[in-house]
Amino acid sequence: MSAALADRLRALQRQAGKAPPLPNPSPARGEGLSLSPSPLAGEGRGEGPTSPQPPRPEVPENIRRLLGLRTRTLAAVPATPRALDRHLPGDEIAPGLRYFESRHEAPPLPATLDASFAKDFGTVEAAQLLCFDTETTGLSGGTGTRAFMVGASDLVDGQLRIRQLMTTTLAAETAMLEAFARWLPPGTVLVSYNGRSYDAPLLKARYRLARLPCPITPLAHLDLLHPVRRRYRGQWENCRLATVERQLLRVLREDDLPGSEAPRAWRDYLQGGPATDLRRVLAHNHTDVRSLLQLLAHLVQVDAPPAPTGRGGTA
Protein backbone atom coordinates (compact mmCIF):
# COMPACT_ATOMS: atom_id res chain seq x y z
CA MET A 1 0.00 0.00 0.00
CA SER A 2 1.43 3.35 -1.02
CA ALA A 3 2.14 5.96 1.63
CA ALA A 4 -0.36 8.45 0.11
CA LEU A 5 -3.21 5.91 0.14
CA ALA A 6 -2.39 4.84 3.70
CA ASP A 7 -2.42 8.45 4.87
CA ARG A 8 -5.77 9.02 3.18
CA LEU A 9 -7.38 5.95 4.82
CA ARG A 10 -6.00 6.93 8.24
CA ALA A 11 -7.49 10.40 7.89
CA LEU A 12 -10.87 9.01 6.90
CA GLN A 13 -10.90 6.50 9.76
CA ARG A 14 -9.94 9.18 12.28
CA GLN A 15 -12.86 11.31 11.04
CA ALA A 16 -15.27 8.39 11.30
CA GLY A 17 -13.87 7.27 14.67
CA LYS A 18 -13.98 3.63 13.56
CA ALA A 19 -10.50 2.23 14.12
CA PRO A 20 -7.00 3.28 15.27
CA PRO A 21 -4.68 4.63 12.61
CA LEU A 22 -3.05 2.17 10.29
CA PRO A 23 0.71 1.47 10.78
CA ASN A 24 3.16 3.30 8.61
CA PRO A 25 3.79 1.68 5.28
CA SER A 26 6.51 -0.94 5.07
CA PRO A 27 9.84 0.70 5.89
CA ALA A 28 12.54 1.00 3.41
CA ARG A 29 15.23 -1.62 3.45
CA GLY A 30 17.45 -1.18 6.46
CA GLU A 31 14.92 0.73 8.54
CA GLY A 32 12.91 -0.56 11.50
CA LEU A 33 9.15 -0.53 11.83
CA SER A 34 7.73 2.81 12.90
CA LEU A 35 4.92 2.47 15.43
CA SER A 36 2.24 5.10 15.94
CA PRO A 37 3.25 7.46 18.71
CA SER A 38 1.40 7.44 21.98
CA PRO A 39 -0.84 10.45 22.68
CA LEU A 40 1.53 11.33 25.53
CA ALA A 41 4.72 10.62 23.69
CA GLY A 42 5.57 14.28 23.47
CA GLU A 43 5.61 14.65 27.25
CA GLY A 44 9.10 13.15 27.44
CA ARG A 45 10.36 15.99 25.30
CA GLY A 46 8.92 18.64 27.54
CA GLU A 47 5.73 19.10 25.54
CA GLY A 48 2.40 19.47 27.28
CA PRO A 49 -0.52 17.03 27.01
CA THR A 50 -2.46 16.87 23.80
CA SER A 51 -4.98 19.71 23.50
CA PRO A 52 -8.72 18.83 23.21
CA GLN A 53 -9.71 17.94 19.71
CA PRO A 54 -12.34 20.08 17.94
CA PRO A 55 -15.68 18.46 17.18
CA ARG A 56 -15.44 15.97 14.39
CA PRO A 57 -16.94 17.20 11.17
CA GLU A 58 -19.89 15.39 9.69
CA VAL A 59 -18.79 12.57 7.41
CA PRO A 60 -20.35 12.80 3.95
CA GLU A 61 -22.78 10.04 3.10
CA ASN A 62 -20.71 8.69 0.19
CA ILE A 63 -17.68 8.34 2.47
CA ARG A 64 -19.79 6.56 5.11
CA ARG A 65 -20.88 4.05 2.49
CA LEU A 66 -17.27 3.58 1.39
CA LEU A 67 -16.22 2.81 4.97
CA GLY A 68 -19.22 0.60 5.63
CA LEU A 69 -20.73 2.88 8.28
CA ARG A 70 -24.48 2.88 8.90
CA THR A 71 -26.52 6.05 9.25
CA ARG A 72 -28.80 5.98 12.24
CA THR A 73 -32.37 6.94 11.40
CA LEU A 74 -35.25 7.39 13.78
CA ALA A 75 -38.32 5.39 12.94
CA ALA A 76 -41.22 7.61 11.96
CA VAL A 77 -43.95 7.55 14.59
CA PRO A 78 -47.31 7.11 12.87
CA ALA A 79 -49.73 9.94 13.57
CA THR A 80 -52.70 8.94 15.69
CA PRO A 81 -55.86 9.55 13.63
CA ARG A 82 -58.38 11.85 15.26
CA ALA A 83 -61.76 10.36 16.00
CA LEU A 84 -64.31 11.50 13.40
CA ASP A 85 -67.25 13.40 14.88
CA ARG A 86 -70.33 11.55 13.60
CA HIS A 87 -72.63 12.30 16.53
CA LEU A 88 -76.19 13.41 15.82
CA PRO A 89 -78.75 14.23 18.52
CA GLY A 90 -82.18 12.66 18.76
CA ASP A 91 -83.35 9.06 18.42
CA GLU A 92 -83.33 6.65 15.51
CA ILE A 93 -87.00 5.67 15.06
CA ALA A 94 -86.42 3.66 11.86
CA PRO A 95 -83.30 2.50 9.99
CA GLY A 96 -81.61 5.69 8.82
CA LEU A 97 -84.32 8.01 10.20
CA ARG A 98 -83.72 10.24 13.22
CA TYR A 99 -86.30 12.13 15.28
CA PHE A 100 -85.74 15.28 17.35
CA GLU A 101 -88.20 17.05 19.63
CA SER A 102 -88.01 20.09 21.90
CA ARG A 103 -90.46 22.30 23.83
CA HIS A 104 -90.36 26.08 24.19
CA GLU A 105 -92.42 29.00 25.41
CA ALA A 106 -95.38 29.55 23.11
CA PRO A 107 -95.86 32.88 21.31
CA PRO A 108 -98.94 34.94 22.26
CA LEU A 109 -101.63 33.46 20.03
CA PRO A 110 -105.34 33.46 20.83
CA ALA A 111 -107.20 30.17 20.73
CA THR A 112 -109.05 31.44 17.63
CA LEU A 113 -107.12 33.83 15.46
CA ASP A 114 -108.15 36.07 12.59
CA ALA A 115 -106.14 35.16 9.49
CA SER A 116 -107.93 37.55 7.14
CA PHE A 117 -104.58 39.24 6.41
CA ALA A 118 -104.08 36.29 4.03
CA LYS A 119 -106.38 35.84 1.06
CA ASP A 120 -109.02 33.10 1.27
CA PHE A 121 -108.61 32.80 5.05
CA GLY A 122 -110.90 33.78 7.90
CA THR A 123 -110.72 32.51 11.46
CA VAL A 124 -108.40 29.63 12.28
CA GLU A 125 -108.10 27.54 15.43
CA ALA A 126 -104.61 27.75 16.89
CA ALA A 127 -104.70 24.06 17.81
CA GLN A 128 -105.00 23.19 14.09
CA LEU A 129 -101.88 25.06 13.01
CA LEU A 130 -98.75 23.21 11.92
CA CYS A 131 -95.80 25.22 10.62
CA PHE A 132 -93.38 23.24 8.47
CA ASP A 133 -90.17 23.66 6.52
CA THR A 134 -87.92 21.27 4.57
CA GLU A 135 -84.21 20.98 3.86
CA THR A 136 -83.56 19.44 0.46
CA THR A 137 -80.78 18.07 -1.73
CA GLY A 138 -81.04 21.02 -4.11
CA LEU A 139 -82.73 24.37 -4.58
CA SER A 140 -83.81 23.94 -8.21
CA GLY A 141 -86.61 21.47 -7.50
CA GLY A 142 -87.61 18.73 -9.92
CA THR A 143 -88.09 14.99 -9.45
CA GLY A 144 -84.37 14.50 -8.70
CA THR A 145 -84.57 16.73 -5.63
CA ARG A 146 -85.63 15.12 -2.37
CA ALA A 147 -86.22 16.38 1.15
CA PHE A 148 -83.78 14.88 3.65
CA MET A 149 -85.19 16.86 6.60
CA VAL A 150 -88.67 18.03 7.63
CA GLY A 151 -89.26 20.30 10.60
CA ALA A 152 -92.61 21.27 12.14
CA SER A 153 -93.86 23.39 15.01
CA ASP A 154 -97.28 23.46 16.69
CA LEU A 155 -98.95 24.27 20.00
CA VAL A 156 -99.34 21.47 22.54
CA ASP A 157 -100.40 21.91 26.18
CA GLY A 158 -99.71 25.64 26.05
CA GLN A 159 -96.16 25.12 24.75
CA LEU A 160 -94.45 25.44 21.41
CA ARG A 161 -93.44 21.96 20.25
CA ILE A 162 -90.78 21.52 17.58
CA ARG A 163 -90.33 18.17 15.86
CA GLN A 164 -87.76 17.29 13.21
CA LEU A 165 -87.21 14.25 10.99
CA MET A 166 -83.91 13.63 9.20
CA THR A 167 -82.73 10.82 6.95
CA THR A 168 -79.15 9.60 7.23
CA THR A 169 -79.48 7.12 4.35
CA LEU A 170 -81.16 7.33 0.96
CA ALA A 171 -83.36 4.34 1.77
CA ALA A 172 -84.98 6.10 4.76
CA GLU A 173 -86.99 8.59 2.69
CA THR A 174 -90.16 6.47 2.66
CA ALA A 175 -90.07 6.08 6.44
CA MET A 176 -89.72 9.87 6.79
CA LEU A 177 -92.69 10.54 4.48
CA GLU A 178 -94.84 8.07 6.43
CA ALA A 179 -93.85 9.64 9.76
CA PHE A 180 -94.62 13.15 8.52
CA ALA A 181 -98.03 12.03 7.23
CA ARG A 182 -98.93 10.94 10.76
CA TRP A 183 -98.42 14.55 11.90
CA LEU A 184 -101.13 15.78 9.51
CA PRO A 185 -104.60 14.70 10.65
CA PRO A 186 -107.63 16.01 8.72
CA GLY A 187 -108.34 19.66 9.50
CA THR A 188 -104.67 20.62 9.91
CA VAL A 189 -103.83 24.10 8.62
CA LEU A 190 -100.32 24.19 7.16
CA VAL A 191 -98.22 27.31 7.71
CA SER A 192 -95.03 27.95 5.73
CA TYR A 193 -92.81 30.62 4.23
CA ASN A 194 -92.78 30.17 0.45
CA GLY A 195 -93.98 26.63 1.05
CA ARG A 196 -96.83 26.79 -1.47
CA SER A 197 -94.29 27.33 -4.27
CA TYR A 198 -91.46 25.07 -3.07
CA ASP A 199 -91.84 22.79 -0.03
CA ALA A 200 -95.37 21.52 -0.65
CA PRO A 201 -94.92 20.70 -4.39
CA LEU A 202 -91.63 18.94 -3.64
CA LEU A 203 -93.19 16.77 -0.91
CA LYS A 204 -96.19 15.98 -3.09
CA ALA A 205 -93.84 14.75 -5.82
CA ARG A 206 -91.92 12.58 -3.34
CA TYR A 207 -95.17 11.02 -2.06
CA ARG A 208 -96.15 10.18 -5.64
CA LEU A 209 -92.74 8.67 -6.42
CA ALA A 210 -92.91 6.60 -3.22
CA ARG A 211 -96.45 5.48 -4.19
CA LEU A 212 -97.85 6.80 -0.95
CA PRO A 213 -101.10 8.75 -0.46
CA CYS A 214 -100.31 12.46 -0.22
CA PRO A 215 -101.53 13.99 3.07
CA ILE A 216 -100.75 17.57 1.97
CA THR A 217 -103.11 18.01 -0.97
CA PRO A 218 -106.42 18.16 0.96
CA LEU A 219 -105.15 20.57 3.65
CA ALA A 220 -105.48 24.37 3.82
CA HIS A 221 -102.13 26.10 3.41
CA LEU A 222 -101.30 29.54 4.79
CA ASP A 223 -98.13 30.89 3.15
CA LEU A 224 -96.82 33.85 5.16
CA LEU A 225 -94.48 35.08 2.42
CA HIS A 226 -97.30 36.73 0.46
CA PRO A 227 -98.79 38.88 3.25
CA VAL A 228 -95.26 39.88 4.30
CA ARG A 229 -94.50 40.99 0.74
CA ARG A 230 -97.72 42.98 0.48
CA ARG A 231 -96.97 44.81 3.71
CA TYR A 232 -93.18 45.32 3.65
CA ARG A 233 -92.10 45.26 0.00
CA GLY A 234 -90.16 48.45 -0.71
CA GLN A 235 -89.39 49.03 2.97
CA TRP A 236 -86.74 46.30 3.29
CA GLU A 237 -83.95 45.16 1.00
CA ASN A 238 -85.74 41.81 0.60
CA CYS A 239 -88.42 39.69 2.23
CA ARG A 240 -86.35 36.66 3.13
CA LEU A 241 -87.17 34.94 6.41
CA ALA A 242 -83.83 36.00 7.91
CA THR A 243 -84.73 39.64 7.14
CA VAL A 244 -88.16 39.19 8.72
CA GLU A 245 -86.53 37.76 11.84
CA ARG A 246 -84.17 40.71 12.12
CA GLN A 247 -86.73 43.43 11.37
CA LEU A 248 -89.83 42.11 13.17
CA LEU A 249 -88.90 39.33 15.56
CA ARG A 250 -85.54 40.67 16.77
CA VAL A 251 -83.95 37.28 16.12
CA LEU A 252 -80.26 37.22 15.17
CA ARG A 253 -78.87 33.87 14.10
CA GLU A 254 -75.42 32.93 15.37
CA ASP A 255 -73.19 30.49 13.47
CA ASP A 256 -76.06 29.88 11.07
CA LEU A 257 -75.36 27.62 8.09
CA PRO A 258 -77.00 29.10 4.99
CA GLY A 259 -79.70 26.98 3.40
CA SER A 260 -77.63 26.75 0.23
CA GLU A 261 -75.01 24.78 2.18
CA ALA A 262 -77.49 22.19 3.49
CA PRO A 263 -77.24 19.83 0.47
CA ARG A 264 -73.45 19.75 0.72
CA ALA A 265 -73.52 19.08 4.49
CA TRP A 266 -75.91 16.14 4.03
CA ARG A 267 -73.92 14.62 1.15
CA ASP A 268 -70.68 14.92 3.13
CA TYR A 269 -72.23 13.01 6.03
CA LEU A 270 -73.57 10.28 3.75
CA GLN A 271 -70.06 9.85 2.31
CA GLY A 272 -68.59 9.27 5.78
CA GLY A 273 -67.71 12.85 6.69
CA PRO A 274 -68.20 14.57 10.05
CA ALA A 275 -71.61 15.57 11.40
CA THR A 276 -70.59 19.11 12.38
CA ASP A 277 -72.30 20.93 9.52
CA LEU A 278 -75.29 18.59 9.54
CA ARG A 279 -75.97 19.59 13.15
CA ARG A 280 -75.88 23.20 11.97
CA VAL A 281 -78.51 22.33 9.36
CA LEU A 282 -80.68 20.98 12.18
CA ALA A 283 -80.26 24.23 14.09
CA HIS A 284 -81.10 26.25 10.97
CA ASN A 285 -84.29 24.27 10.37
CA HIS A 286 -85.21 24.50 14.06
CA THR A 287 -84.99 28.30 13.94
CA ASP A 288 -87.05 28.40 10.72
CA VAL A 289 -90.08 26.56 12.11
CA ARG A 290 -89.90 28.38 15.43
CA SER A 291 -89.89 31.75 13.67
CA LEU A 292 -92.93 30.84 11.57
CA LEU A 293 -95.25 30.65 14.54
CA GLN A 294 -93.77 33.84 16.01
CA LEU A 295 -94.27 35.62 12.67
CA LEU A 296 -97.87 34.43 12.52
CA ALA A 297 -98.48 35.83 16.01
CA HIS A 298 -97.00 39.16 14.92
CA LEU A 299 -99.17 39.40 11.80
CA VAL A 300 -102.29 38.53 13.79
CA GLN A 301 -101.55 41.29 16.32
CA VAL A 302 -100.69 43.91 13.69
CA ASP A 303 -103.83 43.26 11.64
CA ALA A 304 -106.18 42.77 14.58
CA PRO A 305 -109.13 45.20 14.45
CA PRO A 306 -109.07 47.90 17.12
CA ALA A 307 -110.88 47.06 20.31
CA PRO A 308 -114.28 48.78 20.69
CA THR A 309 -114.31 51.78 23.00
CA GLY A 310 -116.97 52.71 25.55
CA ARG A 311 -118.89 55.96 25.87
CA GLY A 312 -116.15 57.58 27.86
CA GLY A 313 -113.59 56.83 25.17
CA THR A 314 -111.88 54.06 27.19
CA ALA A 315 -111.34 50.55 25.96
Side-chain angles (χ1 to χ4, degrees):
M1 180 184 299
S2 66
L5 180 58
D7 292 338
R8 177 62 176 164
L9 287 177
R10 279 197 299 271
L12 293 175
Q13 287 177 331
R14 282 196 300 271
Q15 293 179 13
K18 182 178 180 183
L22 294 174
N24 288 332
S26 300
R29 186 176 299 176
E31 297 180 357
L33 293 176
S34 175
L35 300 179
S36 297
S38 169
L40 301 179
E43 295 182 6
R45 295 189 297 269
E47 299 175 1
T50 306
S51 59
Q53 296 294 323
R56 283 181 289 200
E58 184 69 22
V59 181
E61 184 61 29
N62 58 341
I63 302 300
R64 298 184 70 88
R65 288 196 298 268
L66 176 65
L67 296 176
L69 299 177
R70 294 182 180 180
T71 303
R72 290 186 178 183
T73 57
L74 296 177
V77 179
T80 304
R82 297 179 60 183
L84 197 62
D85 180 6
R86 299 273 296 172
H87 171 72
L88 289 172
D91 302 310
E92 189 172 55
I93 59 174
L97 178 64
R98 300 194 70 83
Y99 172 74
F100 317 88
E101 180 177 330
S102 60
R103 301 289 182 100
H104 309 272
E105 181 181 356
L109 274 172
T112 302
L113 53 96
D114 182 6
S116 58
F117 59 84
K119 294 181 179 180
D120 303 325
F121 273 87
T123 58
V124 177
E125 298 299 320
Q128 296 178 310
L129 299 171
L130 186 131
C131 306
F132 80 104
D133 182 61
T134 65
E135 306 297 334
T136 67
T137 58
L139 299 178
S140 59
T143 56
T145 303
R146 66 175 68 201
F148 67 86
M149 184 184 302
V150 179
S153 62
D154 57 0
L155 298 173
V156 176
D157 299 328
Q159 291 183 307
L160 171 62
R161 175 179 64 176
I162 295 180
R163 293 174 288 177
Q164 294 172 280
L165 295 165
M166 183 179 67
T167 60
T168 57
T169 64
L170 292 173
E173 182 188 26
T174 300
M176 184 186 72
L177 294 174
E178 291 174 340
F180 183 59
R182 292 192 290 269
W183 297 358
L184 306 175
T188 298
V189 177
L190 296 173
V191 181
S192 70
Y193 202 81
N194 197 34
R196 291 180 67 94
S197 300
Y198 184 76
D199 302 86
L202 185 144
L203 287 175
K204 290 176 183 179
R206 301 314 300 181
Y207 277 106
R208 286 195 300 270
L209 291 173
R211 299 184 178 182
L212 295 172
C214 179
I216 297 175
T217 303
L219 301 180
H221 191 158
L222 174 57
D223 194 330
L224 300 182
L225 172 63
H226 306 293
V228 167
R229 277 180 174 171
R230 286 194 296 268
R231 177 175 292 275
Y232 298 105
R233 177 182 290 168
Q235 300 182 37
W236 303 338
E237 67 273 20
N238 58 58
C239 290
R240 298 173 55 190
L241 184 57
T243 304
V244 173
E245 291 173 341
R246 185 175 64 253
Q247 297 286 353
L248 297 181
L249 309 180
R250 300 296 184 261
V251 173
L252 294 178
R253 303 194 184 206
E254 296 181 0
D255 192 34
D256 182 62
L257 188 72
S260 59
E261 290 293 315
R264 189 267 312 160
W266 187 69
R267 287 194 301 267
D268 287 352
Y269 184 82
L270 259 60
Q271 294 170 1
T276 308
D277 281 347
L278 196 53
R279 290 196 299 267
R280 295 173 66 193
V281 177
L282 275 168
H284 175 91
N285 181 263
H286 186 281
T287 304
D288 282 349
V289 294
R290 185 174 184 177
S291 294
L292 285 177
L293 212 53
Q294 293 173 333
L295 173 59
L296 178 59
H298 176 84
L299 293 174
V300 168
Q301 292 174 358
V302 168
D303 289 298
T309 59
R311 291 181 179 180
T314 58

